[in-house]
Amino acid sequence: MKNVEAKQKEKVQNLKMLPKHIILVRHGESEGNKDTSAYSTIPDHKISLTEHGRAQARLAGSRLRDLISSHGSSQDWRVYFYVSPYERTRSTLREIGKSFSKKRVIGVREECRIREQDFGNFQVEERMKATKETREKFGRFFYRFPEGESAADVFDRVSSFLESLWRDIDLNRLNNDPSQDLNLIIISHGLASRVFLMKWFKWTVEQFERLYNPGNCEIRVMELGRGGEYSLAIHHTDEELQEWGLSPEMIEDQKWRINANKTDLNDHCKWYLNSFFDNELDSDEDVKEEDIDSNDDSKDIFLDTDS
């Protein structure tokens, strides 16, 4: 009985160390969003926000503060920001930050691994249009832009960031008091946000290809469920998830995560296993070994070539 109580106490303590929310925010409207010809004369990382983009970011800051301070959260909450080094994301953070008092912010870190997908140093408009048409035929995930990156390349560096993020949480490098609700806000870009979710929820390439880019300053809220899993379905409606491109199976998975324990994840994902293996073969007796003819000409024959 004592062991059960001790494990339950340890579980509760571990949950307290986890962030209440992990929130992804795309930057506000940029000069490049407004006029794509800007990319042909200005390096991507120097593209700035429009006035409308700054207003979007201020509104997003207000929404984030209201979201974090409500929904059953402790009144003693804190936020930690991760931000892409691009001008438009840094400016978005500056505007969002106006909604948070200094005592609420325990830290901010510029993180290069969540930067925008590299499209090349300068983007000639007509050439980029033709290149994006080719990408549609090839596939959005694996297509690599000339002198740039593929979504798969972005996935690799975002995966590395996620590993660092978990170490920060496990080792409490964010210096969070367990009595306070910790909220992580990641201000990044459309594609980087999509591959972040893909990596986190173990979505396939096929599922990634279904997803749509978030709008400027649109927010994706991952909230901690009762069993230690994060879910998009706590804060967001089915209709929102459908609009983002999630399939019915993906939405059901998000709902399952609301009450799920991490130890249940492998059993829950049998549908994923069955997509690669024939689920009709349930036992060793179902597997029929084919007789191999020892005289089969298709066998590899290795000859002594020294003679």
Side-chain angles (χ1 to χ4, degrees):
M1 185 66 178
K2 288 184 178 180
N3 287 338
V4 174
E5 291 177 354
K7 288 181 179 179
Q8 186 63 28
K9 187 176 180 180
E10 182 182 3
K11 180 181 178 181
V12 171
Q13 187 65 26
N14 289 338
L15 287 177
K16 285 183 178 180
M17 294 300 295
L18 295 175
K20 173 78 173 179
H21 299 100
I22 300 175
I23 305 173
L24 303 172
V25 185
R26 187 187 174 195
H27 59 81
E29 180 190 71
S30 72
E31 295 292 349
N33 295 140
K34 188 176 180 181
D35 180 7
T36 56
S37 66
Y39 293 111
S40 62
T41 57
I42 306 172
D44 196 355
H45 68 280
K46 291 185 177 181
I47 294 285
S48 60
L49 292 180
T50 63
E51 283 302 321
H52 179 57
R54 280 186 274 274
Q56 286 178 319
R58 287 192 293 274
L59 179 59
S62 178
R63 289 179 58 206
L64 286 166
R65 185 196 61 234
D66 292 345
L67 184 159
I68 291 169
S69 61
S70 60
H71 299 289
S73 296
S74 164
Q75 293 303 305
D76 194 13
W77 52 266
R78 295 292 185 271
V79 293
Y80 193 102
F81 291 96
Y82 291 89
V83 62
S84 157
Y86 280 37
E87 173 60 31
R88 55 188 179 272
T89 42
R90 289 169 57 89
S91 295
T92 299
L93 173 56
R94 279 191 286 271
E95 298 300 329
I96 286 176
K98 293 175 181 179
S99 292
F100 295 91
S101 62
K102 286 185 177 179
K103 78 168 190 175
R104 296 292 190 182
V105 181
I106 61 173
V108 60
R109 183 180 304 171
E110 182 177 284
E111 177 53 69
C112 287
R113 289 172 291 182
I114 57 173
R115 69 186 186 274
E116 176 65 288
Q117 179 181 8
D118 291 333
F119 297 102
N121 293 320
F122 289 98
Q123 301 173 34
V124 179
E125 194 169 7
E126 287 303 314
R127 186 190 305 162
M128 185 56 64
K129 181 181 178 182
T131 301
K132 288 184 176 180
E133 288 174 355
T134 303
R135 179 182 63 174
E136 290 301 314
K137 297 176 183 177
F138 190 90
R140 286 177 170 268
F141 189 75
F142 292 111
Y143 181 81
R144 179 176 286 115
F145 283 87
E147 301 178 354
E149 290 182 304
S150 65
D153 295 324
V154 180
F155 179 91
D156 290 342
R157 54 178 164 83
V158 168
S159 297
S160 171
F161 163 66
L162 255 175
E163 292 171 2
S164 299
L165 181 68
W166 272 117
R167 283 197 296 273
D168 287 347
I169 294 169
D170 287 342
L171 301 176
N172 198 21
R173 290 172 177 163
L174 307 182
N175 297 318
N176 179 56
D177 185 336
S179 66
Q180 301 167 346
D181 278 348
L182 173 62
N183 302 272
L184 303 184
I185 300 178
I186 302 170
I187 302 174
S188 186
H189 307 264
L191 182 95
S193 296
R194 280 183 285 154
V195 297
F196 182 100
L197 294 174
M198 177 189 182
K199 170 64 177 177
W200 189 286
F201 293 119
K202 299 177 176 60
W203 292 339
T204 65
V205 172
E206 182 180 358
Q207 289 170 325
F208 168 84
E209 297 279 3
R210 295 175 52 96
L211 302 177
Y212 297 105
N213 232 22
N216 293 120
C217 276
E218 195 171 338
I219 295 167
R220 304 282 193 262
V221 181
M222 299 164 54
E223 187 166 328
L224 184 65
R226 298 180 184 90
E229 281 290 323
Y230 286 86
S231 173
L232 294 165
I234 298 175
H235 180 78
H236 299 287
T237 65
D238 286 12
E239 289 72 23
E240 284 181 291
L241 300 180
Q242 288 170 2
E243 288 174 2
W244 300 351
L246 274 71
S247 66
E249 292 80 11
M250 295 165 75
I251 294 173
E252 284 304 312
D253 175 64
Q254 291 301 316
K255 291 180 177 179
W256 173 83
R257 290 171 182 269
I258 295 173
N259 298 301
N261 294 308
K262 287 184 177 295
T263 53
D264 299 332
L265 190 60
N266 199 47
D267 288 337
H268 173 68
C269 287
K270 284 182 178 178
W271 62 269
Y272 184 80
L273 188 70
N274 292 338
S275 67
F276 290 96
F277 294 91
D278 189 344
N279 58 3
E280 294 180 1
L281 303 180
D282 292 328
S283 68
D284 289 342
E285 286 71 25
D286 293 328
V287 180
K288 297 179 180 179
E289 295 185 4
E290 295 184 1
D291 292 331
I292 300 175
D293 185 355
S294 59
N295 295 322
D296 189 349
D297 292 335
S298 65
K299 287 186 175 181
D300 291 331
I301 301 175
F302 295 93
L303 301 177
D304 183 357
T305 59
D306 291 339
S307 57

